[in-house]
Amino acid sequence: MALNFDHETLGQRVCFGAGQATSNLKAALAALEATKVMVIAGDFELPMAKRILSDIEVAVWHSDVVMHVPVETAEAARKIAAENNIDALVSVGGGSTTGLAKAVALTSGIPIIAVPSTYAGSEATNVWGLTEAARKTTGVDNKVLPAVVIYDSELTLSLPVEMSVASGLNGMAHCIDSLWAPKADPINAAMVVEGIRALAAGLPKIIADPTGIPGRDEALYGAYLAAVSFASAGSGLHHKICHVLGGTFNLPHAQTHATVLPYVLAFNAPFAPEAEKRAAVAFGTATALEGLQKLRAEVNAPEKLADYGFSADGIAEAVSIILEKVPANNPRPVTAENLSELLTAALNGTDPAALSTQN
């Protein structure tokens, strides 16, 4: 088979090791020669952040973290960073925390050291997102790519099992969406396969032993591969849908991704047989949907958008916004009719295998 593709690899240092967050963070700050550090951590993660940085000098502790990064929240953080002459940002937490650090870096160029406590994956991408007037806008800029990512699976122990599952399936969404995203290529597809395998192996271990490191290590590793593949491949249909549901309807990020994923997979898979086959091989099942649904049942995954505040009244508005954002190369033509069917099924938690495969 002849190969023809253009792949860009992002430059980023990754430090991976349970119980090593403090030592790795010290080394990373020293390498940046940082003297004015701003730590961004939400109220839940703030005690964890203060423990990690207990003997590191911090100029600013900033905990005003809001889901989907409202523009007003970003502007306030940018102002604080400028007033304090910050020369390094340390984000400790999940996707919202990393997202706020990226918003500051976007306009200032201040380097980020990301210390994730979830499986969101934002730390490994150069994608930023801001919400204004109930509309979420995303973009790509290398200024927002964290210079260093410090993975310490001990930090994920504070994440409840239910959220670990949702966050891990958010990582799985990065994998599957990358198979048919605008810049999908054989290199990011190879990372997708290993990412799916690692997440599918790690998440059940977290269920079986929530305080165990092996399962969380494997899930964190898988989430990183998922994010790297997503950063390379770009945002596909799944992410366009979830960004609208999150930004416009304020649905929770991880749970929304976890809920919508099987419906997008069922929607696109018949029209992308090679991509579907790769995912099926990674799951070790006859079809990708079978593997995903088997995993979702094993980990008691979120089932319907109705549980998170979405209603049928919002479907028409969501469809109109999503249709403007659908990638041109999506393997299946997207129409108001079949997109409405997808959202209705996700709203009610009906069997994704029952989605129509007609154009």
Side-chain angles (χ1 to χ4, degrees), residues 14-349:
V14 175
C15 305
F16 200 111
Q20 299 176 42
T22 298
S23 59
N24 283 333
L25 181 54
K26 284 181 178 179
L29 287 169
L32 289 177
E33 298 182 347
T35 59
K36 300 279 285 184
V37 177
M38 178 174 175
V39 177
I40 298 176
D43 290 335
F44 179 78
E45 294 88 3
L46 195 56
M48 176 195 302
K50 289 195 171 183
R51 175 172 54 81
I52 297 169
L53 289 104
S54 60
D55 57 352
I56 296 173
E57 186 174 347
V58 174
V60 175
W61 294 93
H62 187 78
S63 60
D64 183 17
V65 176
V66 182
M67 186 171 59
H68 304 303
V69 195
V71 167
E72 299 79 9
T73 303
E75 290 293 350
R78 289 165 175 169
K79 182 179 179 181
I80 291 170
E83 290 175 345
N84 288 274
N85 298 312
I86 297 301
D87 59 7
L89 302 165
V90 175
S91 63
V92 181
S96 297
T97 305
T98 308
L100 180 56
K102 287 182 170 184
V104 176
L106 181 64
T107 56
S108 67
I110 301 171
I112 302 170
I113 300 175
V115 188
S117 62
T118 73
Y119 310 105
S122 175
E123 67 280 351
T125 79
N126 57 353
V127 179
W128 56 267
L130 291 168
T131 302
E132 183 174 17
R135 293 292 185 271
K136 186 168 185 176
T137 301
T138 62
V140 175
D141 194 311
N142 285 344
K143 288 199 299 290
V144 309
L145 178 73
V148 183
V149 182
I150 294 172
Y151 288 112
D152 182 341
S153 54
E154 287 188 1
L155 304 183
T156 69
L157 294 174
S158 63
L159 194 65
V161 169
E162 184 177 321
M163 267 304 300
S164 296
V165 167
S167 183
L169 289 172
N170 181 15
M172 186 69 76
H174 287 136
C175 284
I176 291 175
D177 218 23
S178 295
L179 288 171
W180 41 58
K183 295 182 179 180
D185 66 43
I187 295 176
N188 49 51
M191 289 187 286
V192 162
V193 171
E194 175 65 358
I196 290 174
R197 184 210 62 77
L199 284 163
L203 291 178
K205 292 176 184 175
I206 294 174
I207 296 289
D209 182 12
T211 62
I213 291 300
R216 292 184 180 270
D217 259 356
E218 198 156 16
L220 206 53
Y221 161 68
Y224 169 71
L225 290 175
V228 172
S229 60
F230 174 72
S232 169
S235 183
L237 177 63
H238 172 88
H239 280 78
K240 299 303 184 184
I241 291 172
C242 291
H243 287 165
V244 170
L245 293 177
T248 303
F249 301 94
N250 202 35
L251 301 191
H253 184 85
Q255 293 90 335
T256 299
H257 280 270
T259 303
V260 171
L261 180 57
Y263 297 97
V264 177
L265 176 57
F267 182 89
N268 269 344
F271 297 80
E274 290 301 317
E276 191 280 335
K277 184 177 180 181
R278 282 182 182 271
V281 168
F283 279 116
T285 50
T287 69
L289 185 60
E290 177 189 344
L292 178 61
Q293 291 298 77
K294 180 181 177 182
L295 172 64
R296 285 171 51 80
E298 192 172 356
V299 299
N300 193 27
E303 294 183 353
K304 53 187 178 180
L305 292 176
D307 290 337
Y308 302 102
F310 192 56
S311 69
D313 292 342
I315 289 177
E317 181 182 5
V319 166
S320 68
I321 301 171
I322 295 165
L323 284 175
E324 298 175 354
K325 303 175 181 293
V326 173
N329 75 320
N330 192 67
R332 178 178 181 178
V334 181
T335 66
E337 182 180 1
N338 60 28
L339 185 55
S340 296
E341 181 190 9
L342 186 158
L343 290 176
T344 300
L347 169 69
N348 298 315

